[in-house]
Amino acid sequence: MSQKTQALEYTNKALAINYEIDNNSKIIEAQIIKSYLLLGLKPTLAKNLAKESLQLLNSETSNEIKADLYNLLYECYKRSNQTNRALSMIEKYTVFRDSFQLEKNKILIIKETIKSQYEQKLQQNKSINEKENAIVKLTYTYRIYFVISITIL
């Protein structure tokens, strides 16, 4: 059994499981993978499966999945020499890829901001701790001098 055939079997199993648990985004992802696997062997079937996946898109579908799907449709239309549709798909792919990248960048900025705030707070706590330790040390030193001076007198 070839690797492609085995991959198709695993994809079909994943699709069955995802249909059973009604996980729409995973269904679309599995169909995209299956379409890519079929693209070289059965391009019409791959295109039809991609179109079917397009019908499953909703507002909750991630921009990454949408970008992958439109890129797949671009490949399908390009191979079938439908240049106008291919151009339309590559434009949509670009929009969703850019949106996904923007989302990733926002998340990275938020992570860095949180990390920076945490490090700043940590530094403030360290400074406060050092000041408190210095005060304790100074107080201890004064007490020692006080005890020594009382003992001498």
Side-chain angles (χ1 to χ4, degrees):
M1 182 182 333
S2 75
Q3 286 183 337
K4 239 182 195 178
T5 307
Q6 192 174 15
L8 279 168
E9 284 183 20
Y10 287 138
T11 305
N12 287 333
K13 286 179 185 178
L15 272 169
I17 292 169
N18 289 318
Y19 273 116
E20 190 175 315
I21 61 173
D22 197 31
N23 189 337
N24 192 52
S25 63
K26 293 296 181 187
I27 291 170
I28 296 169
E29 284 181 25
Q31 286 182 332
I32 290 171
I33 292 168
K34 186 175 180 179
S35 293
Y36 271 117
L37 291 169
L38 293 171
L39 195 57
L41 304 170
K42 301 177 181 177
T44 306
L45 184 59
K47 183 170 65 172
N48 290 338
L49 188 58
K51 285 180 179 180
E52 181 184 320
S53 299
L54 193 60
Q55 302 303 314
L56 296 174
L57 293 180
N58 58 37
S59 60
E60 295 172 6
T61 307
S62 76
N63 287 333
E64 181 180 23
I65 292 173
K66 290 176 184 176
D68 287 344
L69 180 56
Y70 284 115
N71 189 45
L72 170 63
L73 284 165
Y74 161 73
E75 289 293 331
C76 291
Y77 288 128
K78 183 175 86 173
R79 287 178 187 226
S80 64
N81 210 20
Q82 295 176 305
T83 53
N84 287 338
R85 286 189 175 180
L87 178 62
S88 173
M89 294 302 120
I90 199 69
E91 287 171 348
K92 289 178 182 181
Y93 161 73
T94 304
V95 167
F96 286 109
R97 184 198 62 208
D98 291 349
S99 295
F100 173 67
Q101 189 60 48
L102 198 85
E103 289 169 3
K104 275 178 55 176
N105 290 346
K106 284 180 184 178
I107 290 170
L108 286 174
I109 289 170
I110 290 169
K111 282 181 180 179
E112 285 300 315
T113 302
I114 291 170
K115 182 180 174 185
S116 173
Q117 289 174 348
Y118 172 77
E119 288 173 352
Q120 186 180 18
K121 187 71 173 172
L122 191 64
Q123 188 61 37
Q124 286 174 347
N125 288 342
K126 186 177 177 185
S127 296
I128 291 170
N129 196 18
E130 287 174 355
K131 286 179 187 176
E132 288 175 352
N133 284 341
I135 290 171
V136 168
K137 217 178 205 180
L138 187 62
T139 305
Y140 183 72
T141 305
Y142 283 151
R143 285 185 182 165
I144 289 175
Y145 285 141
F146 178 71
V147 169
I148 291 174
S149 63
I150 297 241
T151 329
I152 293 178
L153 294 174

